[in-house]
Amino acid sequence: MGKDLLGSELYEAHYRFKERRSNARFFVVMLLVFLFFFGVRVYWTSTFGGVEIDGDSMKHTLLDGQQLLMKYSDGGKDAERGDVIVVYVGNYAECASVRSGFLIKRLIAIEGYTVKCVDGQVYIQYAGCDEYEKLDEPYAHYRSEYDKQSYDFGPYKVGEGEIFFLGDNRNNSCDSRYKE
């Protein structure tokens, strides 16, 4: 009796049904895999982006031509003092020479802080404090001791919704010192 079923129409119909079901499962699994990777890609590109270093303003920390992965932030609210940040400056005439409109700099101060530099040493007066605190900057680079001593600015009070940033290669940097 078993041999009679092997060649029967019922057996052939059952076999074709199983084969179609197997093919359908394969395509559903492939669709789910595609959707998973597409979702990961959308998440990745909306959260992170790539940037290439163009210039020497961060020399000795980041080199010209290096490629970095950056994390997008909601208005910089995640950034902390000392972080390396990417800032859009396309609206500022002082930075018209920046081809991409973006700068890669170091975050020095946030709103409410006051910043000054005396003989190449940056000082910060935190919001609500009367005294300036010397900023430890092992990443800061100057061409010479003379250049360091002539690198003075400020005091500059960082306004509401603003940040203050400097390049690590201080003598070769378009940064917050040039703000209108």
Side-chain angles (χ1 to χ4, degrees):
M1 180 152 170
K3 290 187 176 191
D4 293 337
L5 284 177
L6 243 132
S8 73
E9 287 183 36
L10 182 61
Y11 177 78
E12 293 295 324
H14 180 70
Y15 178 74
R16 282 193 303 271
F17 174 75
K18 284 182 83 173
E19 186 177 13
R20 278 187 300 225
R21 194 169 63 182
S22 177
N23 288 342
R25 279 190 199 142
F26 173 78
F27 287 116
V28 167
V29 167
M30 292 309 291
L31 179 64
L32 290 174
V33 167
F34 173 77
L35 289 175
F36 173 76
F37 282 109
F38 182 74
V40 168
R41 173 141 169 54
V42 167
Y43 168 77
W44 185 265
T45 57
S46 64
T47 305
F48 301 98
V51 63
E52 183 174 335
I53 308 300
D54 182 21
D56 291 331
S57 70
M58 293 293 287
K59 190 174 182 178
H60 301 289
T61 303
L62 303 172
L63 302 176
D64 189 34
Q66 266 186 320
Q67 294 189 0
L68 303 175
L69 181 66
M70 66 177 189
K71 181 178 185 225
Y72 293 110
S73 175
D74 183 24
K77 297 191 184 357
D78 301 353
E80 296 178 5
R81 197 198 59 68
D83 286 350
V84 174
I85 59 173
V86 178
V87 182
Y88 180 70
V89 293
N91 299 335
Y92 296 99
E94 296 86 351
C95 296
S97 64
V98 178
R99 289 177 286 178
S100 68
F102 291 94
L103 295 176
I104 299 175
K105 302 297 174 190
R106 179 139 345 239
L107 180 60
I108 301 297
I110 59 173
E111 70 180 58
Y113 293 7
T114 302
V115 182
K116 70 178 180 179
C117 186
V118 178
D119 293 331
Q121 177 61 56
V122 176
Y123 295 90
I124 295 182
Q125 182 183 45
Y126 296 101
C129 295
D130 295 332
E131 300 291 321
Y132 280 91
E133 187 175 307
K134 182 178 176 181
L135 188 60
D136 180 31
E137 298 183 290
Y139 45 77
H141 174 75
Y142 298 91
R143 284 186 295 233
S144 68
E145 196 58 38
Y146 172 76
D147 288 337
K148 181 177 182 176
Q149 291 173 353
S150 63
Y151 186 85
D152 292 352
F153 64 83
Y156 178 79
K157 181 157 176 78
V158 182
E160 186 177 335
E162 294 180 344
I163 59 173
F164 190 90
F165 54 88
L166 298 172
D168 288 357
N169 187 6
R170 297 289 161 83
N171 300 110
N172 186 21
S173 179
C174 175
D175 48 44
S176 289
R177 296 172 296 145
Y178 299 106
K179 185 183 179 304
E180 297 178 297

